[in-house]
Structure formats: structure tokens, C-alpha cells
Amino acid sequence: MRSTTSNCRNPNSEIRRRAARSVCFAAALGLGLFGLAAGAKAQGLPPLAKELNPAETALILVDFQYPFTNPDGANYHNIQKELQDKDLLNKTVDLVKKARSLGVLVVHITEGYTGDYREVDATNPGGFHRGQILRQAWKTGTRETSYYPPLAPGDGDKDLFLPPRIQTSAFGGTGLDQILRSKGIKNVAVGGFTTDVCDYATVTSAYDLGYHVYALKDAMASYFPEQGELMLKNTYPMWSKVLSNEQWLAMFGMSQKTER
Amino acid sequence: MRSTTSNCRNPNSEIRRRAARSVCFAAALGLGLFGLAAGAKAQGLPPLAKELNPAETALILVDFQYPFTNPDGANYHNIQKELQDKDLLNKTVDLVKKARSLGVLVVHITEGYTGDYREVDATNPGGFHRGQILRQAWKTGTRETSYYPPLAPGDGDKDLFLPPRIQTSAFGGTGLDQILRSKGIKNVAVGGFTTDVCDYATVTSAYDLGYHVYALKDAMASYFPEQGELMLKNTYPMWSKVLSNEQWLAMFGMSQKTER
Amino acid sequence: MRSTTSNCRNPNSEIRRRAARSVCFAAALGLGLFGLAAGAKAQGLPPLAKELNPAETALILVDFQYPFTNPDGANYHNIQKELQDKDLLNKTVDLVKKARSLGVLVVHITEGYTGDYREVDATNPGGFHRGQILRQAWKTGTRETSYYPPLAPGDGDKDLFLPPRIQTSAFGGTGLDQILRSKGIKNVAVGGFTTDVCDYATVTSAYDLGYHVYALKDAMASYFPEQGELMLKNTYPMWSKVLSNEQWLAMFGMSQKTER
Amino acid sequence: MRSTTSNCRNPNSEIRRRAARSVCFAAALGLGLFGLAAGAKAQGLPPLAKELNPAETALILVDFQYPFTNPDGANYHNIQKELQDKDLLNKTVDLVKKARSLGVLVVHITEGYTGDYREVDATNPGGFHRGQILRQAWKTGTRETSYYPPLAPGDGDKDLFLPPRIQTSAFGGTGLDQILRSKGIKNVAVGGFTTDVCDYATVTSAYDLGYHVYALKDAMASYFPEQGELMLKNTYPMWSKVLSNEQWLAMFGMSQKTER
């Protein structure tokens, strides 16, 4: 093996030697891991799906709770304009009804903490949990974490309503990923609050987990609208297809269907 | 249980009943999970750490590879201005030397794909992997994925240099999280490329994993500078403390030390 | 790079070439990843901890619920002999009181399903969930999943009592891992049901996650006693130190303390 | 909400109150999480799959490396009898060829450490990594970790050959789970070494991750044969269907096909 490494060595300088070795390592890894490399010329890409199978699709609703959905909620004013401009709440209720009728799995993900915040680290320098503690906010069992009533599943609905989470991603500590696999879910659509905070962390982690992600821009609002807009334009498309509710529903052939 | 639920019921309408039940659920969860809730008055927050223990700290370098660090690299022009304005590469080399001398664990995380991209899904509607395939980019074993030579660990360095990853978060599929726990790492500092893409996903997932995160703004550059700037101002502080290299090093008492 | 690979090639046969390349890959990976290999002679191992810091330690109790703890429980007869021989329930209550008084974090992990088992996959060929469905067992909200009363945390206790899980490992889908990191937990002790099923999966996953694991043999009982005994002798020691309650408590200097 | 809790309270004693509250919590969780509980009568179970779709199936080979496969390997003598009785290596080569010809994704998972074991924790009381260090074993880049030549993928094979891992589960720190999702893999078959150690951890974690698992008993050997046999009889069936190679291949209609 010594000779292998030697072949890669540029003896002129220590720094160059390290760089060269990195290339050698990478080359060996590429060949050893996966066999013959493909040719250098660009490959054609397979077409993207134009249709979605409802049985392989979930709609993930993030934090449709009092602070965002009720005019008296602590975070309402931050998103109020966008809520109104998009008629977001009403349109999401409609979206969810249609998703249920299609057989899409509807998943409700919420945020919540115990009364003394014992499950979070008050010394973490990131401000998210510290802010909740400081404001004594998002306590499970208070009106402030109550779910937006029109979205709550009825007795006949097959929605998942998972226990409240403390992480920013909807997949964080909820077991959601494993449940979705066991149900054969391949596609996830994401809506909720907010475009620039929890929705985005949900979308990046969903992509990393291997899902096909659809970001429903009409069902999202931003805490920092300028940032949220840039994210939807620039980086959301790296991890997802950004669609209106109508465009997404049309992927099930829904546009032809009348609402129930 | 019927009576429990009944107490929560608002019988006026079906929709209100669902909302009420959500509150009931939440209340029971809060009480049942964690015992007596804390009092309603705001609690004082513990102070944040002013010092870091190097034995509990890692410096995570994201994607210091040819496309970002070499003037001929495909992504270089996107970040060129910021690289130059911040003298980013030279300062990162200095940062890493100081981190090593302090006993901070230096971790190199890279991106890379096999020659035929067999480990990724070309049909995913998110553009990240599709873009790599279309450009035939970031192939492990090519010059394009080679590591920035001045940062490559020397024989005496104890750095971790993990195999190339395909996910946006540095924690995604690398086993990094488990290695860091086994080493007692509590704090992670993040630098590299780019502020608005992989660094951010690394920071949000690190926070979700329970780390204390320090975002090193001088060691990061943005793909979309306007977005990156807003993220550093608005949302990075939710998951991390945003610091200059000097400010971070000062947390080890480094400001008094002379460079070796 | 061609020459690197060539050096590794044994041209005599196709099969040998592949094997040789595997060696080459491994060699390059080892050198490239982590720098200079250590010398061939055996290194001394650092000593194991003889003392535990309660602030870095959690006691994980697995499934102390009606089916295992109540004489009318469906699984009680399988473990009855061991429960009695070890006086397991009383001794665990004593253990938990001592752990709380030491400042060890006590974590209660339970199993539970919704009434229609919507969150599990009835078509999975593994028999675990199918068995629960067939027996209509472990439904959250029934007496059958109720917690063993003497272990339930009181209002002053700081225990974590996480929502019911559907996975065999206590870490599966509960967010436990992230909470433990954020609290600086390094050591976990595991007790509960059963030695050969959920306890073992908890212990292997805890080791994989990087924890120091202590398997409390007096606080565990086996579903298949012959198998459980062999596991404790043969494979538990790969992932944990197998201790009696007394031995574990002694690591906190508890043996000298009188019980409160 | 106070009244809700009160309804659940048995005021006679503190201990009983806690137990009662646990039931209340559980009940509320069940109803609140998932809507109306199913009726008490046993439900019929859906039939198990009799056929497998190769496009949704992966064959995971665990640690077919020198220590287990070469007569001079350090662990060979522990499994020698079973290797010979089952003609395990030859039959696995045949199995893999058939799997490839069917279009099943073949995944090679290996174990390996850097020369100075810097990525593991020598102070962990579990003996697995400490044993490797003590014996200076499983170093990546040595003959000892070389792959069993007849199983190494050829240039035309589409196998995944992931970087060496340090965890017992094949899913631990390898990114395997995310790659499998992105490829639409629902079913995993597991073979390799050993039945009672890494195979078992792989199978339990695969079940927890939501896969349909097939344990290939003819392609596995045990480190502790008595324990391995009990596990295959008692607990493997909880997480998997235990099959011979022939039985598994027959699920693709392979029994009718002639070997290529």
C-alpha cells in the first residue's frame, strides 16, 4: 500500500502533499465504492413526476396553533398581512379537506413544552428555546398551544396528530420519518408556520431524508417576509418544488374534481 | 374517560368540539407528562457561557473544496467577493491552526458523489442533486472535489476527516452526531460554504440535536448574499450565537495567546 | 489515478482483481481519512470510570406498564418467576428513589398505540406490531397501558415521562437522544422489560449513539429466560457494563448513604 | 382543565393518584391524538406479502470481511462450523448473483477503524470497541478488513458499497436509511456476521425504521451458536420473517428461473 500512497504524493511541499493525498483518497473512494465511473459527458435527466399517488403522499401541517392562527396570538401580528393577503387559513382548511378526500395522509405537527420547560436546555445560546422560556410561551396544556379548530381531525378522519415537539424540523424527535416509511410515503407536501423558520427546517430535513418535497407557498407565511420571499425564490427550489395549493392538487387530477 | 372528554366538550358545534378536544389533549399531556406546571410568572434565564472548554468543542468545516476555494471552481464566482472582502480562506487557515492548538476537535465535512450518482435520486423534484447530475459535478475522485490544501490535516493532527456526504446537513448520513457524543462534544462551531445553504442546514440540525452552536460569520460565504445576510441577522440567532472568529477564539481565552 | 488502481491490481483473474481493489480502497480510505496509522503494537487502554457523575447520568425505565407489572397483565406470567425471584418491582422502586435523590435524571419510556393502530403497518412481516393488533393490546388510554403506580413521578420529581412509543428501542421516535444531549447526559442505565426484547434494542442503540451504558440486570426480566440469560452473559457486555442495582449505585458513592 | 384532571384523580392516596393520572394521560392522549378508538373486538389482519418487487427490495450484506471469511481471520474459528455446515460463503455468492440478476439492490456494509481508532471512545465500558483497540483489529487499510473477493461488485454491478462503519447496526452512521428511502426500498433482507451481534442490531433497527425485514438464516452465522439459535427462534420473528435463501428468492418467482 505504501506505493499507492506514494503515487499520489507531490513531494515538493508539505502542503501540496496533503492536497494531493486528498485527491488520491477521493479517487480511490470513488472507484472502490461504486465501481466504474460514468463517462464525462452530461447525462440526460429523467423527467419529474407530473402526477402524485395519494397513497404515497402526506401533507404535513406545521404549527397551526393559537399563536399563529388567532388574532390574539403572540405571533399573529408578524404574519397577519400574509395570512390576509393569501386568505391562508380558509384556503388551508379547503386544502386539507381535499387532501383527505383524495386519500392523502394528513399529518398535524405541533410545538409544545411542559410547564417548567424541563425537556429543553435553557443555557443553549441559540435564542429559540430561551425565547419561549422567557415569554413563558407555547406551554402544552394552555390555550396558547391549542390547535386551529377548523383543521382538527374529526372522528372519521385518518389523520396523524403526533405529540408536540420541541425541535424546529417536523421530523425532529417525533418518529414521523419512521411512520411515513412504514406507510410507504414517498412524497411530502409542507405548509404552515413559518416559511423562514420551521417550514424551512422541515423541508431541508425532508430532502436529506430522501423524500420528494412539495412546498406549498400559499399555505405558508413568513416571520421575516423579506427573508421568506428570498428563500422561496432561491433555496426552497433546491430541496422542493414550490407550488400553489391548486398546482399541487392538480397533480392528483384534482382540478377536475368538485369539492365536497 | 368519557367524562374527561365531556368536560372539554363545547357542544355547540362539531368544529368547536374538535378544537376543544385539542386543548384537552394538550392539557392532559402537559400534566401527565411532566407533573406540576411551573408558575405563570416569568422565570429568570440562566446566563450563557462566556467560556468554552476545548475538550467539549468541535469546529465543523463544511465543503472547503475546489468548487468554492479554487478560482477555477464552478461555484467560486458566486462567493468570490465575500471570500476576498473577508480574506476568508487565509483567516480560516489561521482559525483552524488555533483551534488545533487549543485542543478543539477539527472536523472536515465534504460533499461527493460516485461517478454515476447511483446513491442519489435523479427523479427528486428538489434541484440540488439534479443540478449536480446535470453538471456532472462534485464527483468523488476528481479534481473538483479535492480538499483545500492548506486546511488538510497533517500527520500529527487529530482532525476527523469523514467520508463525503450527499446530504445538505453536515450531520446527514455521516455518523458525525454519534462520534461527537462519544467524545463528549457539547459545542460546535460551523464555518464553510455556504451561509444560506449547507451551513444553515447544519446549524438548524445541530440545534435540533441539542448542541450549543456558534456560527462563524467570518468563515462563511453566501451563495445568495442578500439572503445570507438576512439569515445571519434574523434566523441564525435562533439556533446559534453568531460570532467573528476572534470572538469565538476569545471564549477559550485565546485572545491573549500568541499564534503558534 | 489510473496508476494508483493499477498498483493494487492482481491481473490473474477477475475475482482477484475485485478483492485486491477492495483492499486498495480500504487502505486509501484509512490513510486519507485519518492520517498516519498508529503503530502495530497493542496500545494500552484507558481505565474505565469507577465513579459516575449524577448530572451526566440518566436511568431509563422501559415499559413498567400493566401488562408486565400487574398479575392480571397479559405478559405477566412470562416474567413472573423472575419478578419474584429478584423482588424486581420493589427493588426498582427503591432504585428510582435513590436515583432521584442523587440527582440522576429518571426517564420513563412506555409503549402504546392508538385505538385503531393507524400509526403502525399491519402488513409488516415482523410479528411484533401484528401481534399487538391481533390481541388488540397496548392501546393508549386503556388500563392495559397504565403505568406502574409506585414508579409514577410525583409533583416534585423532575423525571421525564415521554409520550408512548411504537418502536422497540427506547430511543426510537421519542426524541430522547436529543433531550439527553441537551442535558449533557453521557451515561445511561437501563432497566425494564424485557431483557431479551426492548431492553436489548435500547442498549444496542444507546451504544451506537455513543453513550456509556449500564445494564441493570436486577431491574430486568426476560420474555425467554434462557435467551435472556445468554444475552446477559455473551452480548450485553459488548455494549454495556452489566451490573446489579447495588453495584451501579455504588458508582455514585451511594453504598455509604442511607436510604431516604 | 383542572376539572379534567380531577375526574381522573383517586384522592385516597398519593401513590394511587399518580397511577390514576397516568391512565388519564394515556386515555387523553389516545383520544386526542388519533380520534375515535376502534371497537374492542379483534380486527382481522391483512395478509402478508407472498411476492416481493425487486425494485423495492435491498439485500444487505453485513461484514463479509477477512476476519469472518478467511481461515486465517481472527473470528473465523468462532463461526467455522456453521460456515461449513451451511456452505455459507458459496451459497451467499450464489444468492448475490441471483439478487443482482433480479434487480435487487445489493448493499455491502463493512466495519473498519482508522489506525489510531480516533473516531471511537476507548473509555466506553461496553467491550466492543475496546476489544477492537486491544487487539488492534479491524483497521481500515489492512488485510484484516479486506472484503471477501467473490462478493465484491464488478464494474457492471450497481451495488452500493458504503464506507466502513463503527456502529453495530448497518444503518448506524452510514446514511443507508436515507439512500434506501430515496430509492423506494421497502423490503430489506439481511445476511452476514453475526446472527447474534451485528445482524440482530441491523434487523431490530430496520424494523424500528419501518422496513419489512427478511432474515436470511442460511446467510448468517453466530458468534455464540446457542444464543443465535434461540434468537432466530424467539425474537427474530418479532422483527422479521426468517427464511432460507431459497424461500426468499422464491418470493420473486425465482425458484422457476435457472441460474445465470
Side-chain angles (χ1 to χ4, degrees), chain A residues 115-136:
Chain A
D116 60 5
Y117 300 91
R118 68 177 65 183
E119 68 279 24
V120 299
D121 174 10
T123 70
N124 194 304
F128 191 77
H129 287 153
R130 278 174 73 89
Q132 312 296 44
I133 299 171
L134 195 64
R135 295 184 297 269
Q136 292 285 301

Side-chain angles (χ1 to χ4, degrees), chain B residues 28-101:
Chain B
L29 186 68
L31 293 169
L33 277 182
F34 301 112
L36 195 68
K41 63 180 162 58
Q43 299 173 290
L45 286 172
L48 294 181
K50 291 186 176 162
E51 296 184 4
L52 293 177
N53 177 354
E56 295 178 342
T57 306
L59 170 59
I60 301 177
L61 302 171
V62 179
D63 297 351
F64 278 89
Q65 290 167 277
Y66 188 93
F68 289 118
T69 60
N70 193 295
D72 294 335
N75 306 115
Y76 187 84
H77 68 283
N78 296 84
I79 60 169
Q80 182 170 8
K81 186 175 184 314
E82 214 170 337
L83 281 183
Q84 291 170 347
D85 289 352
K86 296 180 172 177
D87 193 16
L88 191 152
L89 293 174
N90 289 329
K91 287 200 173 158
T92 302
V93 171
D94 185 51
L95 170 74
V96 168
K97 283 181 186 162
K98 286 174 175 161
R100 286 179 186 140
S101 75

Side-chain angles (χ1 to χ4, degrees), chain A residues 125-148:
Chain A
F128 191 77
H129 287 153
R130 278 174 73 89
Q132 312 296 44
I133 299 171
L134 195 64
R135 295 184 297 269
Q136 292 285 301
W138 291 93
K139 290 187 187 188
T140 297
T142 64
R143 188 183 58 168
E144 198 191 24
T145 56
S146 64
Y147 205 63
Y148 183 57

Side-chain angles (χ1 to χ4, degrees), chain A residues 69-90:
Chain A
T69 59
N70 192 295
D72 294 334
N75 306 116
Y76 187 83
H77 68 283
N78 295 84
I79 60 170
Q80 182 171 10
K81 185 174 184 317
E82 213 169 336
L83 282 184
Q84 291 170 347
D85 288 353
K86 295 180 173 177
D87 192 17
L88 193 151
L89 293 174
N90 289 330

Side-chain angles (χ1 to χ4, degrees), chain C residues 90 104 130 140 175 196-198 204 206 208 220 227 239 254:
Chain C
N90 289 329
V104 166
R130 278 174 73 88
T140 298
D196 45 351
V197 184
C198 295
T204 51
D208 271 1
M220 292 180 175
Q227 180 179 328
W239 328 114
M254 191 64 183

